[in-house]
Amino acid sequence: MSARLHYIDRCRALLMLLGIPYHAARLFSPGWGPPQAATSAFCDTVAQTITAFRMPAFFLIAGYFAAMLLARTARWEWLQSRLKRLGIPLLSATIVLIPLQLLVFAAVPGGDMGDVLARLAGRLSEPSSSWISHLWFLDDLIIYSVLIAVAWPIVARLRSTGLPLVVERAPFASVFILVGLVAVPLSVTAPLLGTTFLGAMANRLMYNGLFFLIGTGLFLKPAILDAWLKWRWWRAAVVVAIIALTVPLTMGGAHYRPAMVAGACAAIGGAWLVLAAMKRWGDAPSAPVKLVVDASLTIYLVHHPIILALGLVTASISLPVELEWLAVGVTAALLSFAIYLAIRQVPLLYYCFNGQRLAVRRPVLAAA
């Protein structure tokens, strides 16, 4: 494993950036953004394929890094740092970006500026899931961070415990079986909790928490991680087949419980595919890639309102939906990266939308 874990850092950034084609595709789904002239089965498939593994893989990596840092740092010191790293971008984006998104929705029905501002005031005065929007993962990471910091003395002991022989000999299959077994009771409790704000949040925390815990466990058992991440073409073929079979099942919506179990297996398979491929082919240091990795959180935060605003434009034109999706995705990516480069010039803004202080290179003084 690379000492600097370049491949895991790159996977985390890639999963963040995949939010751009995902949300650009969701733009052409009914009820997501500004209503479009046409929908697209292609865009639905793109969105469902990406969402099958993107956030579970992200939380798996988050669990791995949480355990790695807790093993090196005093847990309350780590938690304080983590709350700043996550909480400051969450607060900044909520204050600056969410009102811009609500402004887009307020502009959809049309009318003069007075009408738009009146609708905006109404949206701002009524608490809803729109206030969280694409920032939900930061809320969840904060909750997971608090929980693992509290439980770390117990969790850390698992490093010295043994595992069943079958897990050591067949980690790839064992992880699939574990995820599938846990997903069965989750598929039963999910409908009971419902789709209210708190019910949906509880379902999400339990589902993604499974992958966060798997990431933590993989750090505690590095031999299992190395064996699990070995690239095998037959493994890649199995994962692609599982995802290909799961996507139409989850899109149909008629078989909730089987779809959730299959979706969990597709999620862990997709996580393996991204991590194993990046470990094999993307583990070398690179300055341009390092810049993109640093930019990924800021890009993710700002791309969402940009895509919604672009939805006002695509709603008024009539081009092939696939072409509009591509144009929206590319435009949002370029504008988001440009905003990151601008924010990077102002240390305070960088801190607000990246959660880290910008490293300042001090000039080297020549010896007298």
Side-chain angles (χ1 to χ4, degrees), residues 118-361:
R119 287 191 290 266
L120 174 61
R123 287 180 173 270
L124 289 172
S125 63
E126 297 175 2
S128 70
S129 59
S130 299
W131 284 16
I132 298 176
S133 186
H134 63 303
L135 309 177
W136 63 267
F137 77 102
L138 293 172
D139 289 314
D140 291 6
L141 281 176
I142 289 173
I143 293 173
Y144 293 145
S145 297
V146 172
L147 292 176
I148 195 172
V150 171
W152 182 246
I154 298 173
V155 174
R157 295 176 188 173
L158 299 177
R159 181 180 293 185
S160 59
T161 61
L163 291 172
L165 186 60
V166 64
V167 176
E168 295 180 355
R169 291 188 174 180
F172 183 75
S174 298
V175 173
F176 268 109
I177 293 171
L178 171 64
V179 169
L181 290 175
V182 176
V184 171
L186 290 181
S187 71
V188 175
T189 59
L192 300 178
L193 291 171
T195 57
T196 63
F197 176 80
L198 291 179
M201 183 177 182
N203 281 324
R204 190 179 69 231
L205 284 169
M206 289 192 294
Y207 181 76
N208 289 323
L210 167 63
F211 298 95
F212 187 91
L213 290 175
I214 289 174
T216 299
L218 289 173
F219 170 79
L220 296 174
K221 301 294 181 181
I224 299 298
L225 175 65
D226 286 340
W228 183 62
L229 284 183
K230 284 185 178 178
W231 179 267
R232 297 290 185 268
W233 286 104
W234 68 265
R235 291 183 178 183
V238 168
V239 168
V240 170
I242 291 174
I243 294 175
L245 293 172
T246 300
V247 166
L249 184 63
T250 54
M251 289 174 65
H255 307 284
Y256 180 82
R257 290 177 182 173
M260 186 170 181
V261 175
C265 293
I268 195 63
W272 173 86
L273 186 65
V274 172
L275 283 162
M278 194 68 76
K279 184 180 180 184
R280 178 165 180 174
W281 289 293
D283 201 25
S286 165
V289 173
K290 183 179 179 181
L291 178 66
V292 174
V293 169
D294 182 70
S296 60
L297 175 58
T298 304
I299 289 175
Y300 181 82
L301 294 178
V302 303
H303 88 281
H304 200 267
I306 291 174
I307 286 178
L308 288 173
L310 290 172
L312 294 175
V313 178
T314 56
S316 62
I317 61 178
S318 182
L319 294 173
V321 172
E322 296 75 14
L323 182 60
E324 291 185 11
W325 165 74
L326 181 61
V328 167
V330 172
T331 303
L334 293 176
L335 288 176
S336 299
F337 187 63
I339 291 172
Y340 161 77
L341 293 177
I343 286 175
R344 190 179 172 86
Q345 305 306 310
V346 184
L348 179 59
L349 288 178
Y350 180 84
Y351 186 47
C352 288
F353 290 94
N354 198 290
Q356 303 180 97
R357 295 193 182 279
L358 189 63
V360 178
R361 294 183 178 181

